[in-house]
Amino acid sequence: MARVGTRHRGGRRARVLVVVAIAAGVVACSSGRVFQKGNQASLRNDWDLAATYYGQAVKASPDRADYKMALERAQMAASQVHFEKAREYENRDQLDLALLEYRRVVEYHASNQEARAKIQVLEQTIRDRIEAARPRPPVEGMRQKARQQLEEPALNPASREPVVLKFNNRQIQEVLDFLGTSTGINIAYDKDFQKTATVSVNIDGITLEQALHQILMVNQAYYKVINPRGIIIITDSPAKRTAYDELALQTFYLSSADPTDMEQLLTKVVAAQQGVRPSFASNKSSNSITVRGTLPMLQMVERVIAMNDKPRAEISVDLEILEVNRGNAKQYGLDLSSYAIGLAFSPESRPGGTGGTGASPSNSDFNLNTISAGVSTADFYAAVPTAVIRFLEQDSETKVIAKPNLRGSEGEKLSIKLGEETPVPSTTFYNAFGGAGVATSPLTSFTYKNIGVNVDLEPRVTYDGDIIMKLTLEISAKGPDVNVAGQNLPSFFTRKVETRIRLRDGESNLLAGLLRENERKTLKGVPGISHVPVLRDLFASNDREIVQTDIVMLLTPHIVRTHEMSQRDFSPLYIGTQQNLGLVGPPPLIQPPGEAGARAVPSTPLPSGAPMALVTPGAPVQAGQAPSATKTVPALQPPPTTPVPGLIPAPVPAPPAGGQAAGPPAGAQTPPPPPPGTAPVAVPAGQAPAVPAAPAGTDVAQNVRISLTPPTVPMAVAGPAVTVPISVFGASRVSTVTLSLRFDPQVIRPRLVQEGIFMASGGGTVTFAQQVDATAGRIDITLTRTGDTTGVTGDGVLAAVVFDAVGSGVSPLSLGGVVTNPAGMPMPVQFGQATVTVK
């Protein structure tokens, strides 16, 4: 019988193994079929479908390394295809489609920082275009008309020719009268103006307004326009400003700023004004501020309000909160009711009552029959504790998931509370009879405390596009009640985190580790036995309980609306002098910024006292000027754009016969300059660049060779794509590799540029950058080990380029570049060549 039972058990094991083997075979076959579908899709260059099939194969067989490699290859190829589509859509100004393609790139290649940066730029550009397409509110037109009404009367002289004045020690009235007569304006004088003061004037080639301002400013006077052909000359003093400056009243309606804060700001701006000081009155009901002052002051106030009445930036915060509560309880062993044996002496009846009635006998009663009959064992009763054997195990897990979205303006407090409110009593004592007696009457009031997850955010968007948030996270739970002065009061478990973080738009922050674990162990048993390792599990009561609570929060902010800033907001505002505040505009410059012009400088030393003329190209030379005494200096050109780090400019071709340099071919892009701090290096194909001598003690690699394999690559016009690896041999302590690969764009076209595994050897972090110019037939590749101090040594693949055939012919592949060690010193390199033949 024993053998039969053994045979049956062996048969069951065999059947189980057969079922498991069949299931494994079915899974392997299904994953293999899916993998073959992925291979077929990759041959058709349908990388999206290939990545889907490869992903299913990896999910079915996660231990297959070839499946994982195929999935990574398909994802990289799909990301490159979508990246090229995104660039094409972006060049066509189809930003919505380009944004979708860049997002697909990030799905396939999460570490593509260029695609992530493009997503942020396109999202901001789309938001700006939407805001720009919105119709302007009518209030903007009203404000523009109000600005025109604030302008003072303009002086309209009869002659607008440049002023030429030369007076030596003459009365100022004579000078001003001559100026007014020659320009056709009427000049009146204030009664307190010192008309007999002598001045010396030497003015040539400036406007009437500039001449008046120059003469009067040095004599502490100013002029006021009373009509287009008349002015009045006044001594510049606070009393005269108060008497002559006209006042106006204007109400400015605010859109975003608080009127009280704006009033305080404007009051501080004009606090040191010595002349006519404006007055401000804010109105909170209409959210406006009324200003009384001169017209230049009102213009200044209008500009200050426009620079500060800006809407706050708005952000949207995505929160993902996961709360996991785990509980584990075990109860096992022998549990006796009271772990005590009771012994009672009762000669007449059972303990607990007389005659079984249950009434307890009095301690003072004594039965005399006990003395005459004697005492026996029948008069004693023993109580044995009840025994219960327990073997209970309980395991529970609770998950609470919340995904709220918070949106608000910067500076405002955003709060979210997940949980419940628990009443908390608060008792105070008072004297119910009044007077100064002792307060003995209790008065209890209740407040509610939020129990659960409480999150408070105070965001602020910087002008650089970062998001600074003050984060407060509090996780609380109700604990056991505590008895205080005879009153049960609740207690709470609290975990609180306060921090200040700075994030980019779309950058996530994970807050975890807020783990609370409570462990309780109880052991009850017979003394001695309860401490024996084996017996305490059988003859003792064991009670163990473990409670864990873990909180994980993922926070991702997004900028919905940023600050509405313009160049005008960053430009300085000229507000006159301390004695006379007002919007006067920028001071006159020799050459206004942003205008094409030139500055005349003397070509030869000028004689002492000779005037220096300032001319612009094409301007006529005034009478009395010597054209040969000046020369025009062209305006400075803007600096070149920031170079792409690691890219090497192409060799400059020799100029053709005739002495003229040959320009770049049509459609070709100018190669970027070398990184800042390095001189441009042109590396001809197959020739090592010139290497400066290394300082003493510096390790320099010898015989480093970078080549294309194989040297001859055959292709067909309608055939599949061909991969050309770029390999390095004999490398020693290489830290940065910059390559430039040239090809014939009429024969082949690059489809994909992939990073090799050589630079990442030893666990280093590699920054891979590539730029393809298919029109000019050039590929620039840069591989940099970030924070590297040792470099990488050996042989391996640096990168690989996938080419498609365009037309029949022969395309040489010319390779050049620069290799440096961790110290930044270039190394001698030999570059190999290859040829692609398309038939």
Side-chain angles (χ1 to χ4, degrees):
M1 295 297 294
R3 288 194 299 272
V4 174
T6 303
R7 187 165 56 250
H8 283 300
R9 288 194 296 270
R12 283 195 295 270
R13 293 195 194 97
R15 286 194 293 271
V16 171
L17 293 176
V18 170
V19 171
V20 171
I22 293 175
V26 170
V27 172
C29 292
S30 61
S31 62
R33 288 194 296 269
V34 173
F35 182 74
Q36 291 300 326
K37 292 181 179 179
N39 291 337
Q40 296 174 3
S42 63
L43 292 177
R44 299 192 304 268
N45 294 331
D46 190 353
W47 296 110
D48 291 331
L49 185 60
T52 302
Y53 284 136
Y54 288 147
Q56 295 176 1
V58 170
K59 185 176 181 180
S61 301
D63 297 332
R64 292 289 298 270
D66 54 343
Y67 289 1
K68 294 181 180 179
M69 294 176 61
L71 176 60
E72 293 179 359
R73 178 172 55 86
Q75 288 178 343
M76 291 295 297
S79 66
Q80 186 64 27
V81 170
H82 286 287
F83 194 87
E84 293 177 358
K85 288 183 179 180
R87 281 187 171 178
E88 183 178 354
Y89 285 135
E90 189 176 3
N91 294 333
R92 296 177 184 174
D93 203 28
Q94 299 177 353
L95 301 186
D96 294 337
L97 298 177
L99 181 61
L100 295 177
E101 294 296 333
Y102 280 127
R103 288 175 177 171
R104 294 293 301 275
V105 172
V106 174
E107 291 178 4
Y108 287 119
H109 190 193
S111 60
N112 194 325
Q113 299 299 328
E114 186 177 359
R116 291 183 178 273
K118 285 287 187 180
I119 290 174
Q120 296 182 6
V121 172
L122 290 182
E123 288 179 347
Q124 183 63 39
T125 304
I126 293 174
R127 287 198 297 263
D128 294 342
R129 290 187 178 183
I130 293 175
E131 292 296 332
R134 297 181 185 275
R136 297 184 60 185
V139 69
E140 289 295 332
M142 299 179 186
R143 288 174 179 170
Q144 184 64 28
K145 294 180 180 179
R147 295 188 189 102
Q148 297 175 359
Q149 294 175 0
L150 283 177
E151 297 178 356
E152 292 183 329
L155 190 61
N156 186 18
S159 174
R160 295 185 177 274
E161 295 296 328
V163 177
V164 179
L165 295 177
K166 295 184 179 181
F167 291 93
N168 188 17
N169 294 329
R170 304 296 293 270
Q171 292 185 0
I172 188 172
Q173 182 180 2
E174 296 180 11
V175 177
L176 295 176
D177 289 343
F178 176 80
L179 184 61
T181 303
S182 61
T183 57
I185 62 172
N186 302 315
I187 299 179
Y189 299 93
D190 178 70
K191 62 178 182 178
D192 297 328
F193 178 71
Q194 298 294 330
K195 296 181 286 186
T196 60
T198 59
V199 294
S200 295
V201 179
N202 189 358
I203 295 176
D204 190 359
I206 63 177
T207 63
L208 170 62
E209 291 84 354
Q210 293 173 342
L212 287 173
H213 181 73
Q214 179 177 339
I215 296 172
L216 297 177
M217 182 179 63
V218 296
N219 290 275
Q220 297 181 355
Y222 72 101
Y223 70 95
K224 175 180 175 60
V225 179
I226 55 179
N227 53 61
R229 290 295 179 89
I231 62 173
I232 183 172
I233 307 299
I234 311 164
T235 303
D236 194 357
S237 64
K240 293 300 180 179
R241 290 282 185 179
T242 305
Y244 281 96
D245 289 353
E246 297 181 1
L247 301 180
L249 193 69
Q250 186 178 5
T251 299
F252 298 94
Y253 295 92
L254 308 179
S255 299
S256 304
D258 184 80
T260 304
D261 297 339
M262 186 64 67
E263 180 183 359
Q264 295 177 358
L265 172 64
L266 295 173
T267 303
K268 291 182 179 179
V269 169
V270 300
Q273 166 71 3
Q274 297 179 1
V276 180
R277 298 184 60 179
S279 59
F280 310 96
S282 59
N283 188 345
K284 292 190 70 69
S285 59
S286 62
N287 202 55
S288 63
I289 181 169
T290 302
V291 185
R292 182 179 65 88
T294 62
L295 292 182
M297 287 181 182
L298 292 181
Q299 294 174 350
M300 178 194 69
V301 169
E302 191 268 341
R303 285 287 304 274
V304 174
I305 290 177
M307 288 189 294
N308 291 274
D309 187 21
K310 299 289 186 181
R312 297 181 179 179
E314 293 187 30
I315 69 168
S316 174
V317 182
D318 296 332
L319 290 176
E320 294 186 15
I321 302 175
L322 174 63
E323 181 180 1
V324 181
N325 296 322
R326 290 181 292 268
N328 181 270
K330 291 184 179 181
Q331 296 177 353
Y332 60 92
L334 181 63
D335 187 8
L336 300 179
S337 59
S338 58
Y339 287 92
I341 300 177
L343 181 64
F345 176 68
S346 179
E348 302 301 329
S349 62
R350 289 178 58 85
T354 303
T357 59
S360 300
S362 175
N363 294 332
S364 61
D365 297 337
F366 186 77
N367 195 331
L368 297 178
N369 189 38
T370 303
I371 301 175
S372 61
V375 179
S376 65
T377 57
D379 297 330
F380 294 90
Y381 296 87
V384 180
T386 59
V388 178
I389 299 177
R390 296 188 299 175
F391 42 90
L392 173 64
E393 182 173 359
Q394 183 179 359
D395 194 355
S396 62
E397 182 172 349
T398 305
K399 293 183 179 180
V400 179
I401 301 176
K403 295 183 178 180
N405 180 272
L406 305 179
R407 177 172 174 174
S409 302
E410 63 171 349
E412 301 292 338
K413 187 176 182 180
L414 307 178
S415 300
I416 180 173
K417 303 182 185 301
L418 305 176
E420 59 183 7
E421 293 185 351
T422 301
V424 179
S426 177
T427 303
T428 59
F429 293 89
Y430 70 100
N431 186 2
F433 302 100
V438 179
T440 57
S441 300
L443 178 62
T444 303
S445 60
F446 292 88
T447 59
Y448 287 86
K449 179 178 177 61
N450 293 297
I451 303 300
V453 180
N454 304 319
V455 181
D456 293 332
L457 297 174
E458 292 185 14
R460 183 175 66 86
V461 180
T462 66
Y463 295 102
D464 297 328
D466 295 342
I467 302 174
I468 298 177
M469 287 190 298
K470 181 180 179 183
L471 172 64
T472 301
L473 174 62
E474 181 179 0
I475 303 169
S476 57
K478 189 178 181 304
D481 292 343
V482 179
N483 188 281
V484 179
Q487 185 179 10
N488 290 332
L489 300 177
S491 64
F492 304 95
F493 300 105
T494 302
R495 287 165 289 169
K496 188 174 183 180
V497 176
E498 293 185 1
T499 183
R500 186 180 180 92
I501 57 178
R502 181 175 68 93
L503 300 174
R504 295 283 188 183
D505 184 9
E507 183 179 359
S508 300
N509 179 70
L510 180 64
L511 183 61
L514 299 174
L515 179 65
R516 181 173 65 90
E517 181 175 345
N518 296 334
E519 183 175 356
R520 181 179 61 86
K521 295 182 180 180
T522 303
L523 177 64
K524 294 188 298 182
V526 180
I529 298 179
S530 60
H531 296 286
V532 179
V534 179
L535 298 180
R536 66 184 178 188
D537 296 334
L538 300 177
F539 300 100
S541 176
N542 297 271
D543 189 356
R544 177 182 297 177
E545 182 180 3
I546 300 175
V547 178
Q548 290 182 347
T549 302
D550 192 8
I551 297 291
V552 178
M553 185 181 73
L554 183 65
L555 182 146
T556 306
H558 301 279
I559 299 178
V560 180
R561 287 189 179 91
T562 185
H563 300 280
E564 298 180 0
M565 308 298 295
S566 62
Q567 182 61 41
R568 189 180 185 185
D569 298 322
F570 293 93
S571 301
L573 184 63
Y574 296 93
I575 57 174
T577 62
Q578 185 71 22
Q579 185 172 341
N580 181 35
L581 293 181
L583 190 64
V584 297
L589 302 177
I590 294 178
Q591 178 182 344
E595 297 183 3
R599 183 177 63 180
V601 295
S603 58
T604 57
L606 297 178
S608 177
M612 181 180 293
L614 300 178
V615 298
T616 56
V621 180
Q622 302 295 332
Q625 286 185 345
S628 60
T630 60
K631 66 178 181 179
T632 301
V633 180
L636 294 178
Q637 298 295 328
T641 57
T642 304
V644 178
L647 298 184
I648 304 300
V652 180
Q660 296 183 355
Q669 297 182 359
T670 303
T678 60
V681 179
V683 184
Q687 182 178 350
V691 181
T698 304
D699 296 333
V700 179
Q702 299 293 334
N703 300 326
V704 179
R705 184 165 55 90
I706 299 178
S707 61
L708 301 166
T709 54
T712 302
V713 181
M715 294 185 66
V717 176
V722 174
T723 302
V724 179
I726 303 176
S727 304
V728 60
F729 303 92
S732 176
R733 299 192 62 192
V734 174
S735 179
T736 302
V737 177
T738 302
L739 302 174
S740 179
L741 177 64
R742 290 189 172 275
F743 57 91
D744 189 355
Q746 304 298 327
V747 179
I748 56 177
R749 179 179 65 246
R751 177 198 296 181
L752 180 65
V753 181
Q754 293 180 326
E755 178 186 357
I757 62 174
F758 174 74
M759 293 297 291
S761 302
T765 302
V766 181
T767 301
F768 176 73
Q770 51 93 11
Q771 183 175 355
V772 179
D773 190 350
T775 305
R778 174 173 175 157
I779 302 175
D780 295 314
I781 304 173
T782 302
L783 298 100
T784 305
R785 289 173 62 93
T786 307
D788 184 34
T789 58
T790 58
V792 60
T793 303
D795 305 335
V797 178
L798 295 173
V801 183
V802 181
F803 287 101
D804 288 329
V806 177
S808 59
V810 178
S811 172
L813 298 180
S814 302
L815 190 63
V818 173
V819 178
T820 60
N821 60 8
M825 296 297 299
M827 303 178 178
V829 187
Q830 295 180 356
F831 293 95
Q833 308 302 315
T835 303
V836 178
T837 303
V838 180
K839 297 182 179 180

